Amino acid sequence: MIGTVTLNPCMDRTVEIDGFVYGGMNRIKKVRRDISGKGINVALALVQNEIPAIPCGFLYAENSKSFLADVESLGLTYQGVAVAGSLRENIKVLDASKHVTTELNQSGYPVSDQDVHAFIDFFRSFISRVSCVVLSGSVPANVPYDIYRTLVEVSRSANVPCILDAEGALLLEGLRANPYLIKPNLFEFQTAFGVECSEPDAIRDVAKKIISGGSVDIVCVTMGKTGALIVGKDESYFSPALPVDVQSTQGAGDSVVAGFCMAIEQKKGLRDMLRYGCAMSHGSITREGTLMCRKEDFDRYLNQVEVVEL
């Protein structure tokens, strides 16, 4: 069973237009709404690929019933700590003519210190029921930036591999507790570690220095249209992006993480981890909105994904 943590769940409203006009009038072609949040996306991709997964996080009181009903309709069971406030809503503006998405994300309803401590206590129990855990995404207001560091420490104490997918201070603080794997995108990687490199070989060299420092075992950096690379202590691989008809990039990185989790469950090596992650990602970006990769999508792309050693 894979566990995922989403401390800042949301409703994604994707608005599709043709030819976005900044500061002008835009006509909407299509609108869709999807329950989302990085950990929820990971869990959904896994369940749709026959890997048991359970998401957890904060549960906002004002719309908890509809939220839980929507999550259950996806085949997921969401657990966590009930808090005051309402679920945030994010707006994604998809310019279909250019395949470019503009995101307008709410920060999330504030939670109390008591809520944070309650979730940490909940997580101590939750971690005993899973074989791998994913900590991902932003956090609501008033949640300390070392929250992922605390949760990684709990995971390590329970001998459960932890994947950390966060940015900025959340990522850097989490690294201090030595997670198993981190998966920043290129911008997050450059920002967090103060580098400007964008070529796979240069990114690999920086990642190896991070690994040699003892803070993490595996580093994956997703690079959008360029592809993705994964780096371990003794080996590293790069996978170029496939030429596919991109419908939405929402959940692409979460799909990569889901692929990693599947590979870990199946005891695959580093090369296959990247293959699985990229196949899962391609399966998601060819679907609308925040729809995630299904088994038929994963199977379609798995044999198409190319992985080369760096």
Side-chain angles (χ1 to χ4, degrees):
M1 175 77 77
I2 304 296
T4 71
V5 174
T6 304
L7 293 178
N8 213 6
C10 60
M11 173 68 75
D12 277 350
R13 184 156 63 95
T14 303
V15 179
E16 182 178 329
I17 61 173
D18 267 330
F20 178 71
V21 179
Y22 178 77
M25 192 274 289
N26 295 273
R27 295 191 183 278
I28 296 173
K29 293 176 54 182
K30 190 186 304 182
V31 177
R32 64 171 299 116
R33 295 167 65 90
D34 300 291
I35 285 295
S36 190
K38 294 181 71 64
I40 293 174
N41 293 342
V42 173
L44 178 57
L46 286 167
V47 168
Q48 290 182 168
N49 282 271
E50 302 177 354
I51 303 295
I54 182 168
C56 72
F58 291 124
L59 179 61
Y60 288 96
E62 290 183 21
N63 38 21
S64 61
K65 289 185 178 180
S66 61
F67 171 76
L68 289 174
D70 286 342
V71 172
E72 289 173 4
S73 72
L74 300 174
L76 299 172
T77 300
Y78 185 90
Q79 299 182 359
V81 173
V83 297
S86 60
L87 186 72
R88 68 190 177 117
E89 182 174 287
N90 296 332
I91 300 173
K92 318 291 185 180
V93 182
L94 170 62
D95 185 341
S97 66
K98 298 179 180 178
H99 298 292
V100 173
T101 300
T102 301
E103 302 186 35
L104 305 172
N105 293 348
Q106 290 185 333
S107 59
Y109 200 93
V111 298
S112 68
D113 292 343
Q114 183 178 354
D115 294 332
V116 174
H117 292 307
F119 182 81
I120 293 171
D121 289 339
F122 162 84
F123 187 75
R124 295 184 194 281
S125 172
F126 179 81
I127 198 69
S128 66
R129 293 179 279 144
V130 301
S131 55
C132 178
V133 67
V134 176
L135 311 177
S136 56
S138 63
V139 297
N142 202 45
V143 174
Y145 284 116
D146 65 355
I147 182 64
Y148 285 149
R149 177 181 179 180
T150 300
L151 300 183
V152 173
E153 289 171 346
V154 172
S155 303
R156 285 179 60 83
S157 296
N159 293 316
V160 174
C162 179
I163 296 175
L164 177 61
D165 183 10
E167 62 178 303
L170 289 168
L171 171 61
L172 293 175
E173 280 294 318
L175 270 173
R176 298 181 66 173
N178 308 115
Y180 173 63
L181 183 152
I182 60 171
K183 192 223 66 64
N185 61 34
L186 180 59
F187 174 77
E188 292 165 348
F189 181 80
Q190 292 171 332
T191 303
F193 301 107
V195 296
E196 297 181 357
C197 55
S198 58
E199 294 299 320
D201 286 349
I203 296 170
R204 174 203 58 198
D205 293 343
V206 175
K208 280 194 171 294
K209 290 180 181 179
I210 297 168
I211 293 169
S212 65
S215 58
V216 66
D217 294 339
I218 299 171
V219 175
C220 171
V221 180
T222 52
M223 306 166 64
K225 295 179 180 179
T226 302
L229 73 155
I230 193 167
V231 182
K233 181 180 179 182
D234 300 315
E235 53 185 330
S236 56
Y237 302 94
F238 172 72
S239 179
L242 296 173
V244 298
D245 182 15
V246 178
Q247 296 297 311
S248 172
T249 57
Q250 301 307 308
D254 305 326
S255 302
V256 172
V257 172
F260 289 168
C261 291
M262 180 189 289
I264 291 170
E265 283 290 277
Q266 297 179 5
K267 302 186 185 307
K268 300 291 185 178
L270 204 66
R271 179 190 290 269
D272 281 331
M273 285 179 66
L274 186 58
R275 283 184 64 236
Y276 278 38
C278 290
M280 194 80 78
S281 178
H282 283 89
S284 291
I285 65 177
T286 50
R287 305 193 70 201
E288 295 182 342
T290 323
L291 293 174
M292 303 300 289
C293 179
R294 302 160 299 187
K295 189 174 188 303
E296 58 264 36
D297 305 314
F298 175 78
D299 291 341
R300 179 186 309 120
Y301 291 111
L302 184 60
N303 291 328
Q304 298 182 36
V305 170
E306 177 188 4
V307 175
V308 295
E309 188 167 10
L310 291 177

